[in-house]
Amino acid sequence: MFGVTTSDDYRPVTWMGRYPVDVTTMLVGVHVAVAILTAIIAGILGTFGANPLRPYLQFDSAAVLGGGQVWRLFTYAFVHDPRALLWFAIEMYMLFVFGREVERFIGRRAYVALYLTLLLLPAVILSLLSFWTPTTFGSSTALHFAVFVAFATIYPNMEFFLRIAAKWVALILVSIGTLSALAMRDWQSLVVLWTSIGAAFLFIELRGAGPELVWWNDLKARFGPKPKFHVVQKARPGRVAEPEDVYTSIDPILDKISKFGIGSLTANERRQLDRERERLLKKSE
């Protein structure tokens, strides 16, 4: 969709003819397969649209902690309601579009780590909260919305949806979800929502791809490793970077500017562009 690749780790898992198959495509395929299977079983058993697999797949804190059914920490996200397949199709389309861009930007391994974090962290927190009150949960909506939040963190100024920037779209949707949960006193959904979006945002920030935050930089400087004294070896003459090296390093950024405008650059990309511009000016003097 956007065509900006910044990770050396980005490569398809396999190919189907001329078409690449990445991790996001495989995830969408698994979710769709489970949803189709669920709808078929519901039709055969006559459950009137209710998900017949929910009792076996949903997160259930009592079953996880008391019965050792740890698979529920993973399978709860594959509980899809056969009566809401239209919304499920929209959710899968959003995952396919935005998930592929996040995967392309941060790389395949980091993307798998992100998805597993978004999958496991809410379930773990619900398990801890179950010492106060038992909980059950089965849905992938917050998980895949968090993937969109990761996209909006990488491309905060990308405009779509009536020329509204991605960061504002994410903020509006988060506000709607939060207010809805508060109105219904659905504390469980509120915990899952904010755990998911917080994990997605911080994951991208830790990769150095999100917007520059002063408080976050101060926090990392305070708790990060302090520089140690070390012996400085005598500098050896090395190869001076040629102008072609400079152009190669900023080609993806220039390509992004040409397609989406300079407003789509993240703070890190702007700093890199400024550094390379200074290098070129010094060489021309």
Side-chain angles (χ1 to χ4, degrees):
M1 178 180 176
F2 303 102
V4 178
T5 301
T6 60
S7 173
D8 295 334
D9 182 45
Y10 175 72
R11 57 188 181 279
V13 177
T14 186
W15 292 79
M16 294 184 63
R18 296 180 299 171
Y19 300 99
V21 178
D22 46 31
V23 174
T24 303
T25 306
M26 296 174 66
L27 288 172
V28 171
V30 173
H31 279 281
V32 170
V34 173
I36 293 174
L37 178 63
T38 301
I40 293 174
I41 295 176
I44 294 175
L45 298 180
T47 57
F48 303 100
N51 190 333
L53 301 180
R54 175 178 287 272
Y56 309 101
L57 299 182
Q58 71 178 354
F59 171 81
D60 186 330
S61 60
V64 172
L65 298 178
Q69 299 178 13
V70 294
W71 67 81
R72 295 177 182 270
L73 297 173
F74 300 88
T75 58
Y76 76 90
F78 296 90
V79 176
H80 304 300
D81 190 347
R83 295 167 294 187
L85 290 181
L86 176 60
W87 293 111
F88 169 74
I90 296 175
E91 180 184 333
M92 289 299 101
Y93 175 76
M94 300 288 281
L95 172 63
F96 181 76
V97 172
F98 299 113
R100 293 181 70 193
E101 296 305 320
V102 175
E103 180 181 355
R104 179 178 297 178
F105 192 96
I106 66 177
R108 188 172 71 182
R109 288 190 295 269
Y111 182 73
V112 171
L114 170 64
Y115 199 88
L116 289 176
T117 300
L118 298 178
L119 182 66
L120 285 173
L121 188 58
V124 171
I125 291 181
L126 288 181
S127 297
L128 297 176
L129 294 178
S130 67
F131 289 105
W132 287 270
T133 175
T135 57
T136 59
F137 182 75
S139 174
S140 62
T141 302
L143 165 63
H144 295 142
F145 176 65
V147 174
F148 171 71
V149 170
F151 170 86
T153 306
I154 297 172
Y155 301 104
N157 298 314
M158 187 70 64
E159 292 184 351
F160 49 86
F161 296 162
L162 303 178
R163 300 187 64 82
I164 303 176
K167 59 184 178 183
W168 301 124
V169 174
L171 182 60
I172 291 171
L173 295 178
V174 169
S175 301
I176 292 174
T178 301
L179 292 176
S180 298
L182 289 174
M184 295 185 293
R185 293 189 175 184
D186 189 356
W187 313 121
Q188 177 177 282
S189 296
L190 192 64
V191 168
V192 172
L193 173 65
W194 276 95
T195 299
S196 301
I197 63 177
F201 179 79
L202 291 178
F203 190 97
I204 298 301
E205 281 291 328
L206 289 172
R207 303 287 301 181
E212 186 175 12
L213 302 175
V214 176
W215 64 269
W216 179 250
N217 293 335
D218 293 342
L219 188 65
K220 288 193 296 184
R222 177 174 299 181
F223 295 99
K226 299 296 187 291
K228 298 180 180 180
F229 293 103
H230 60 278
V231 178
V232 179
Q233 298 181 354
K234 184 178 180 180
R236 298 180 180 178
R239 185 178 66 90
V240 179
E242 298 296 331
E244 289 78 6
D245 297 331
V246 176
Y247 297 133
T248 301
S249 65
I250 61 174
D251 272 345
I253 299 178
L254 296 177
D255 182 59
K256 184 176 179 181
I257 293 175
S258 66
K259 291 182 178 179
F260 312 112
I262 195 169
S264 65
L265 296 183
T266 64
N268 290 334
E269 291 170 336
R270 289 177 181 270
R271 288 195 297 270
Q272 182 180 353
L273 189 62
D274 290 338
R275 286 196 301 267
E276 303 301 349
R277 180 174 62 84
E278 293 296 331
R279 288 176 57 188
L280 289 175
L281 289 176
K282 290 180 180 180
K283 288 180 179 294
S284 63
E285 293 176 355

PDB file of all heavy atoms in Angstrom, residues 79-104:
ATOM      1  N   VAL A  79     -11.856 -16.513  18.813  1.00  0.00           N
ATOM      2  CA  VAL A  79     -13.291 -16.669  19.056  1.00  0.00           C
ATOM      3  C   VAL A  79     -14.020 -15.614  18.245  1.00  0.00           C
ATOM      4  O   VAL A  79     -13.990 -14.426  18.583  1.00  0.00           O
ATOM      5  CB  VAL A  79     -13.621 -16.525  20.560  1.00  0.00           C
ATOM      6  CG1 VAL A  79     -15.117 -16.579  20.780  1.00  0.00           C
ATOM      7  CG2 VAL A  79     -12.923 -17.614  21.364  1.00  0.00           C
ATOM      8  N   HIS A  80     -14.653 -16.013  17.149  1.00  0.00           N
ATOM      9  CA  HIS A  80     -15.341 -15.084  16.264  1.00  0.00           C
ATOM     10  C   HIS A  80     -16.834 -15.416  16.244  1.00  0.00           C
ATOM     11  O   HIS A  80     -17.218 -16.580  16.083  1.00  0.00           O
ATOM     12  CB  HIS A  80     -14.767 -15.156  14.849  1.00  0.00           C
ATOM     13  CG  HIS A  80     -13.284 -14.918  14.798  1.00  0.00           C
ATOM     14  ND1 HIS A  80     -12.705 -13.749  15.239  1.00  0.00           N
ATOM     15  CD2 HIS A  80     -12.254 -15.703  14.379  1.00  0.00           C
ATOM     16  CE1 HIS A  80     -11.389 -13.821  15.079  1.00  0.00           C
ATOM     17  NE2 HIS A  80     -11.095 -14.995  14.562  1.00  0.00           N
ATOM     18  N   ASP A  81     -17.655 -14.396  16.386  1.00  0.00           N
ATOM     19  CA  ASP A  81     -19.098 -14.572  16.436  1.00  0.00           C
ATOM     20  C   ASP A  81     -19.644 -14.751  15.017  1.00  0.00           C
ATOM     21  O   ASP A  81     -19.495 -13.855  14.184  1.00  0.00           O
ATOM     22  CB  ASP A  81     -19.740 -13.349  17.094  1.00  0.00           C
ATOM     23  CG  ASP A  81     -21.209 -13.563  17.411  1.00  0.00           C
ATOM     24  OD1 ASP A  81     -21.783 -14.546  16.911  1.00  0.00           O
ATOM     25  OD2 ASP A  81     -21.776 -12.742  18.158  1.00  0.00           O
ATOM     26  N   PRO A  82     -20.286 -15.897  14.713  1.00  0.00           N
ATOM     27  CA  PRO A  82     -20.848 -16.096  13.363  1.00  0.00           C
ATOM     28  C   PRO A  82     -21.924 -15.084  13.003  1.00  0.00           C
ATOM     29  O   PRO A  82     -22.220 -14.890  11.820  1.00  0.00           O
ATOM     30  CB  PRO A  82     -21.427 -17.521  13.433  1.00  0.00           C
ATOM     31  CG  PRO A  82     -20.720 -18.180  14.564  1.00  0.00           C
ATOM     32  CD  PRO A  82     -20.449 -17.082  15.555  1.00  0.00           C
ATOM     33  N   ARG A  83     -22.502 -14.424  13.998  1.00  0.00           N
ATOM     34  CA  ARG A  83     -23.547 -13.437  13.727  1.00  0.00           C
ATOM     35  C   ARG A  83     -22.974 -12.071  13.367  1.00  0.00           C
ATOM     36  O   ARG A  83     -23.734 -11.155  13.039  1.00  0.00           O
ATOM     37  CB  ARG A  83     -24.452 -13.304  14.964  1.00  0.00           C
ATOM     38  CG  ARG A  83     -25.229 -14.568  15.301  1.00  0.00           C
ATOM     39  CD  ARG A  83     -25.854 -14.503  16.673  1.00  0.00           C
ATOM     40  NE  ARG A  83     -24.833 -14.472  17.726  1.00  0.00           N
ATOM     41  CZ  ARG A  83     -25.101 -14.552  19.020  1.00  0.00           C
ATOM     42  NH1 ARG A  83     -26.357 -14.665  19.430  1.00  0.00           N
ATOM     43  NH2 ARG A  83     -24.130 -14.529  19.913  1.00  0.00           N
ATOM     44  N   ALA A  84     -21.681 -11.912  13.431  1.00  0.00           N
ATOM     45  CA  ALA A  84     -21.059 -10.618  13.142  1.00  0.00           C
ATOM     46  C   ALA A  84     -19.933 -10.781  12.128  1.00  0.00           C
ATOM     47  O   ALA A  84     -18.850 -10.203  12.276  1.00  0.00           O
ATOM     48  CB  ALA A  84     -20.540  -9.989  14.427  1.00  0.00           C
ATOM     49  N   LEU A  85     -20.169 -11.571  11.100  1.00  0.00           N
ATOM     50  CA  LEU A  85     -19.125 -11.838  10.109  1.00  0.00           C
ATOM     51  C   LEU A  85     -18.785 -10.605   9.279  1.00  0.00           C
ATOM     52  O   LEU A  85     -17.669 -10.494   8.767  1.00  0.00           O
ATOM     53  CB  LEU A  85     -19.548 -12.990   9.197  1.00  0.00           C
ATOM     54  CG  LEU A  85     -19.577 -14.377   9.853  1.00  0.00           C
ATOM     55  CD1 LEU A  85     -19.978 -15.439   8.836  1.00  0.00           C
ATOM     56  CD2 LEU A  85     -18.229 -14.716  10.478  1.00  0.00           C
ATOM     57  N   LEU A  86     -19.731  -9.661   9.130  1.00  0.00           N
ATOM     58  CA  LEU A  86     -19.431  -8.438   8.378  1.00  0.00           C
ATOM     59  C   LEU A  86     -18.372  -7.623   9.111  1.00  0.00           C
ATOM     60  O   LEU A  86     -17.390  -7.170   8.500  1.00  0.00           O
ATOM     61  CB  LEU A  86     -20.700  -7.606   8.190  1.00  0.00           C
ATOM     62  CG  LEU A  86     -20.494  -6.238   7.496  1.00  0.00           C
ATOM     63  CD1 LEU A  86     -19.897  -6.440   6.107  1.00  0.00           C
ATOM     64  CD2 LEU A  86     -21.805  -5.468   7.431  1.00  0.00           C
ATOM     65  N   TRP A  87     -18.531  -7.440  10.419  1.00  0.00           N
ATOM     66  CA  TRP A  87     -17.527  -6.709  11.191  1.00  0.00           C
ATOM     67  C   TRP A  87     -16.218  -7.484  11.239  1.00  0.00           C
ATOM     68  O   TRP A  87     -15.130  -6.883  11.252  1.00  0.00           O
ATOM     69  CB  TRP A  87     -18.039  -6.450  12.603  1.00  0.00           C
ATOM     70  CG  TRP A  87     -19.193  -5.508  12.648  1.00  0.00           C
ATOM     71  CD1 TRP A  87     -20.488  -5.803  12.967  1.00  0.00           C
ATOM     72  CD2 TRP A  87     -19.165  -4.110  12.322  1.00  0.00           C
ATOM     73  NE1 TRP A  87     -21.268  -4.681  12.857  1.00  0.00           N
ATOM     74  CE2 TRP A  87     -20.479  -3.621  12.475  1.00  0.00           C
ATOM     75  CE3 TRP A  87     -18.165  -3.227  11.921  1.00  0.00           C
ATOM     76  CZ2 TRP A  87     -20.822  -2.297  12.239  1.00  0.00           C
ATOM     77  CZ3 TRP A  87     -18.498  -1.901  11.689  1.00  0.00           C
ATOM     78  CH2 TRP A  87     -19.806  -1.451  11.849  1.00  0.00           C
ATOM     79  N   PHE A  88     -16.321  -8.800  11.255  1.00  0.00           N
ATOM     80  CA  PHE A  88     -15.109  -9.618  11.225  1.00  0.00           C
ATOM     81  C   PHE A  88     -14.346  -9.396   9.919  1.00  0.00           C
ATOM     82  O   PHE A  88     -13.112  -9.294   9.917  1.00  0.00           O
ATOM     83  CB  PHE A  88     -15.473 -11.096  11.377  1.00  0.00           C
ATOM     84  CG  PHE A  88     -14.323 -12.033  11.104  1.00  0.00           C
ATOM     85  CD1 PHE A  88     -13.299 -12.179  12.023  1.00  0.00           C
ATOM     86  CD2 PHE A  88     -14.266 -12.762   9.915  1.00  0.00           C
ATOM     87  CE1 PHE A  88     -12.237 -13.039  11.766  1.00  0.00           C
ATOM     88  CE2 PHE A  88     -13.211 -13.614   9.657  1.00  0.00           C
ATOM     89  CZ  PHE A  88     -12.195 -13.752  10.586  1.00  0.00           C
ATOM     90  N   ALA A  89     -15.074  -9.307   8.787  1.00  0.00           N
ATOM     91  CA  ALA A  89     -14.427  -9.062   7.496  1.00  0.00           C
ATOM     92  C   ALA A  89     -13.728  -7.706   7.487  1.00  0.00           C
ATOM     93  O   ALA A  89     -12.609  -7.571   6.966  1.00  0.00           O
ATOM     94  CB  ALA A  89     -15.459  -9.138   6.374  1.00  0.00           C
ATOM     95  N   ILE A  90     -14.368  -6.689   8.084  1.00  0.00           N
ATOM     96  CA  ILE A  90     -13.741  -5.363   8.163  1.00  0.00           C
ATOM     97  C   ILE A  90     -12.483  -5.423   9.023  1.00  0.00           C
ATOM     98  O   ILE A  90     -11.446  -4.833   8.691  1.00  0.00           O
ATOM     99  CB  ILE A  90     -14.745  -4.343   8.721  1.00  0.00           C
ATOM    100  CG1 ILE A  90     -15.920  -4.180   7.755  1.00  0.00           C
ATOM    101  CG2 ILE A  90     -14.060  -2.999   8.978  1.00  0.00           C
ATOM    102  CD1 ILE A  90     -17.013  -3.281   8.285  1.00  0.00           C
ATOM    103  N   GLU A  91     -12.566  -6.148  10.120  1.00  0.00           N
ATOM    104  CA  GLU A  91     -11.408  -6.291  11.017  1.00  0.00           C
ATOM    105  C   GLU A  91     -10.245  -6.969  10.311  1.00  0.00           C
ATOM    106  O   GLU A  91      -9.086  -6.537  10.448  1.00  0.00           O
ATOM    107  CB  GLU A  91     -11.814  -7.106  12.246  1.00  0.00           C
ATOM    108  CG  GLU A  91     -10.700  -7.321  13.242  1.00  0.00           C
ATOM    109  CD  GLU A  91     -11.129  -8.212  14.392  1.00  0.00           C
ATOM    110  OE1 GLU A  91     -12.335  -8.246  14.699  1.00  0.00           O
ATOM    111  OE2 GLU A  91     -10.246  -8.889  14.984  1.00  0.00           O
ATOM    112  N   MET A  92     -10.523  -8.005   9.530  1.00  0.00           N
ATOM    113  CA  MET A  92      -9.461  -8.709   8.811  1.00  0.00           C
ATOM    114  C   MET A  92      -8.861  -7.832   7.716  1.00  0.00           C
ATOM    115  O   MET A  92      -7.652  -7.872   7.467  1.00  0.00           O
ATOM    116  CB  MET A  92     -10.009 -10.003   8.203  1.00  0.00           C
ATOM    117  CG  MET A  92     -10.336 -11.079   9.215  1.00  0.00           C
ATOM    118  SD  MET A  92      -8.890 -11.627  10.173  1.00  0.00           S
ATOM    119  CE  MET A  92      -9.153 -10.730  11.720  1.00  0.00           C
ATOM    120  N   TYR A  93      -9.697  -7.033   7.069  1.00  0.00           N
ATOM    121  CA  TYR A  93      -9.176  -6.120   6.045  1.00  0.00           C
ATOM    122  C   TYR A  93      -8.233  -5.097   6.681  1.00  0.00           C
ATOM    123  O   TYR A  93      -7.161  -4.798   6.136  1.00  0.00           O
ATOM    124  CB  TYR A  93     -10.329  -5.404   5.346  1.00  0.00           C
ATOM    125  CG  TYR A  93      -9.871  -4.364   4.353  1.00  0.00           C
ATOM    126  CD1 TYR A  93      -9.361  -4.731   3.107  1.00  0.00           C
ATOM    127  CD2 TYR A  93      -9.926  -3.006   4.675  1.00  0.00           C
ATOM    128  CE1 TYR A  93      -8.931  -3.772   2.205  1.00  0.00           C
ATOM    129  CE2 TYR A  93      -9.499  -2.048   3.775  1.00  0.00           C
ATOM    130  CZ  TYR A  93      -8.996  -2.436   2.541  1.00  0.00           C
ATOM    131  OH  TYR A  93      -8.565  -1.479   1.653  1.00  0.00           O
ATOM    132  N   MET A  94      -8.628  -4.563   7.845  1.00  0.00           N
ATOM    133  CA  MET A  94      -7.771  -3.597   8.535  1.00  0.00           C
ATOM    134  C   MET A  94      -6.455  -4.250   8.955  1.00  0.00           C
ATOM    135  O   MET A  94      -5.387  -3.634   8.844  1.00  0.00           O
ATOM    136  CB  MET A  94      -8.506  -3.048   9.750  1.00  0.00           C
ATOM    137  CG  MET A  94      -9.804  -2.339   9.435  1.00  0.00           C
ATOM    138  SD  MET A  94      -9.573  -0.737   8.632  1.00  0.00           S
ATOM    139  CE  MET A  94      -9.146   0.283  10.018  1.00  0.00           C
ATOM    140  N   LEU A  95      -6.525  -5.480   9.453  1.00  0.00           N
ATOM    141  CA  LEU A  95      -5.297  -6.189   9.827  1.00  0.00           C
ATOM    142  C   LEU A  95      -4.405  -6.397   8.608  1.00  0.00           C
ATOM    143  O   LEU A  95      -3.186  -6.200   8.686  1.00  0.00           O
ATOM    144  CB  LEU A  95      -5.644  -7.536  10.465  1.00  0.00           C
ATOM    145  CG  LEU A  95      -4.459  -8.481  10.725  1.00  0.00           C
ATOM    146  CD1 LEU A  95      -3.482  -7.870  11.716  1.00  0.00           C
ATOM    147  CD2 LEU A  95      -4.947  -9.837  11.236  1.00  0.00           C
ATOM    148  N   PHE A  96      -4.998  -6.792   7.493  1.00  0.00           N
ATOM    149  CA  PHE A  96      -4.217  -7.059   6.286  1.00  0.00           C
ATOM    150  C   PHE A  96      -3.534  -5.783   5.788  1.00  0.00           C
ATOM    151  O   PHE A  96      -2.350  -5.806   5.420  1.00  0.00           O
ATOM    152  CB  PHE A  96      -5.132  -7.626   5.201  1.00  0.00           C
ATOM    153  CG  PHE A  96      -4.421  -7.950   3.915  1.00  0.00           C
ATOM    154  CD1 PHE A  96      -3.636  -9.081   3.814  1.00  0.00           C
ATOM    155  CD2 PHE A  96      -4.532  -7.112   2.815  1.00  0.00           C
ATOM    156  CE1 PHE A  96      -2.973  -9.378   2.627  1.00  0.00           C
ATOM    157  CE2 PHE A  96      -3.877  -7.401   1.632  1.00  0.00           C
ATOM    158  CZ  PHE A  96      -3.095  -8.538   1.535  1.00  0.00           C
ATOM    159  N   VAL A  97      -4.260  -4.677   5.786  1.00  0.00           N
ATOM    160  CA  VAL A  97      -3.709  -3.424   5.246  1.00  0.00           C
ATOM    161  C   VAL A  97      -2.645  -2.844   6.171  1.00  0.00           C
ATOM    162  O   VAL A  97      -1.510  -2.575   5.764  1.00  0.00           O
ATOM    163  CB  VAL A  97      -4.835  -2.400   5.006  1.00  0.00           C
ATOM    164  CG1 VAL A  97      -4.245  -1.037   4.644  1.00  0.00           C
ATOM    165  CG2 VAL A  97      -5.767  -2.876   3.911  1.00  0.00           C
ATOM    166  N   PHE A  98      -2.993  -2.653   7.430  1.00  0.00           N
ATOM    167  CA  PHE A  98      -2.085  -1.965   8.342  1.00  0.00           C
ATOM    168  C   PHE A  98      -1.044  -2.903   8.946  1.00  0.00           C
ATOM    169  O   PHE A  98       0.078  -2.485   9.222  1.00  0.00           O
ATOM    170  CB  PHE A  98      -2.881  -1.269   9.445  1.00  0.00           C
ATOM    171  CG  PHE A  98      -3.820  -0.226   8.931  1.00  0.00           C
ATOM    172  CD1 PHE A  98      -5.193  -0.387   9.031  1.00  0.00           C
ATOM    173  CD2 PHE A  98      -3.341   0.924   8.321  1.00  0.00           C
ATOM    174  CE1 PHE A  98      -6.061   0.567   8.541  1.00  0.00           C
ATOM    175  CE2 PHE A  98      -4.199   1.894   7.827  1.00  0.00           C
ATOM    176  CZ  PHE A  98      -5.569   1.709   7.943  1.00  0.00           C
ATOM    177  N   GLY A  99      -1.409  -4.163   9.149  1.00  0.00           N
ATOM    178  CA  GLY A  99      -0.446  -5.115   9.686  1.00  0.00           C
ATOM    179  C   GLY A  99       0.722  -5.335   8.753  1.00  0.00           C
ATOM    180  O   GLY A  99       1.880  -5.444   9.194  1.00  0.00           O
ATOM    181  N   ARG A 100       0.459  -5.391   7.454  1.00  0.00           N
ATOM    182  CA  ARG A 100       1.556  -5.583   6.498  1.00  0.00           C
ATOM    183  C   ARG A 100       2.516  -4.405   6.505  1.00  0.00           C
ATOM    184  O   ARG A 100       3.726  -4.585   6.345  1.00  0.00           O
ATOM    185  CB  ARG A 100       0.985  -5.784   5.091  1.00  0.00           C
ATOM    186  CG  ARG A 100       0.203  -7.062   4.917  1.00  0.00           C
ATOM    187  CD  ARG A 100      -0.298  -7.205   3.507  1.00  0.00           C
ATOM    188  NE  ARG A 100       0.795  -7.459   2.580  1.00  0.00           N
ATOM    189  CZ  ARG A 100       0.680  -7.386   1.261  1.00  0.00           C
ATOM    190  NH1 ARG A 100      -0.463  -7.024   0.711  1.00  0.00           N
ATOM    191  NH2 ARG A 100       1.710  -7.648   0.490  1.00  0.00           N
ATOM    192  N   GLU A 101       1.992  -3.203   6.692  1.00  0.00           N
ATOM    193  CA  GLU A 101       2.872  -2.029   6.721  1.00  0.00           C
ATOM    194  C   GLU A 101       3.722  -2.006   7.987  1.00  0.00           C
ATOM    195  O   GLU A 101       4.897  -1.637   7.934  1.00  0.00           O
ATOM    196  CB  GLU A 101       2.039  -0.745   6.609  1.00  0.00           C
ATOM    197  CG  GLU A 101       1.301  -0.605   5.304  1.00  0.00           C
ATOM    198  CD  GLU A 101       2.217  -0.712   4.102  1.00  0.00           C
ATOM    199  OE1 GLU A 101       3.338  -0.168   4.156  1.00  0.00           O
ATOM    200  OE2 GLU A 101       1.816  -1.341   3.111  1.00  0.00           O
ATOM    201  N   VAL A 102       3.132  -2.399   9.114  1.00  0.00           N
ATOM    202  CA  VAL A 102       3.920  -2.479  10.348  1.00  0.00           C
ATOM    203  C   VAL A 102       4.990  -3.556  10.205  1.00  0.00           C
ATOM    204  O   VAL A 102       6.153  -3.353  10.591  1.00  0.00           O
ATOM    205  CB  VAL A 102       3.001  -2.788  11.552  1.00  0.00           C
ATOM    206  CG1 VAL A 102       3.835  -2.998  12.814  1.00  0.00           C
ATOM    207  CG2 VAL A 102       2.012  -1.651  11.764  1.00  0.00           C
ATOM    208  N   GLU A 103       4.624  -4.701   9.649  1.00  0.00           N
ATOM    209  CA  GLU A 103       5.593  -5.781   9.441  1.00  0.00           C
ATOM    210  C   GLU A 103       6.714  -5.341   8.513  1.00  0.00           C
ATOM    211  O   GLU A 103       7.890  -5.635   8.751  1.00  0.00           O
ATOM    212  CB  GLU A 103       4.883  -7.002   8.865  1.00  0.00           C
ATOM    213  CG  GLU A 103       5.808  -8.179   8.605  1.00  0.00           C
ATOM    214  CD  GLU A 103       5.082  -9.376   8.006  1.00  0.00           C
ATOM    215  OE1 GLU A 103       3.844  -9.327   7.875  1.00  0.00           O
ATOM    216  OE2 GLU A 103       5.769 -10.362   7.645  1.00  0.00           O
ATOM    217  N   ARG A 104       6.376  -4.632   7.464  1.00  0.00           N
ATOM    218  CA  ARG A 104       7.386  -4.160   6.520  1.00  0.00           C
ATOM    219  C   ARG A 104       8.339  -3.165   7.167  1.00  0.00           C
ATOM    220  O   ARG A 104       9.529  -3.156   6.864  1.00  0.00           O
ATOM    221  CB  ARG A 104       6.690  -3.519   5.307  1.00  0.00           C
ATOM    222  CG  ARG A 104       7.634  -2.960   4.266  1.00  0.00           C
ATOM    223  CD  ARG A 104       6.869  -2.397   3.097  1.00  0.00           C
ATOM    224  NE  ARG A 104       6.114  -3.446   2.413  1.00  0.00           N
ATOM    225  CZ  ARG A 104       5.325  -3.230   1.371  1.00  0.00           C
ATOM    226  NH1 ARG A 104       5.160  -2.002   0.918  1.00  0.00           N
ATOM    227  NH2 ARG A 104       4.686  -4.226   0.803  1.00  0.00           N
TER     228      ARG A 104
END
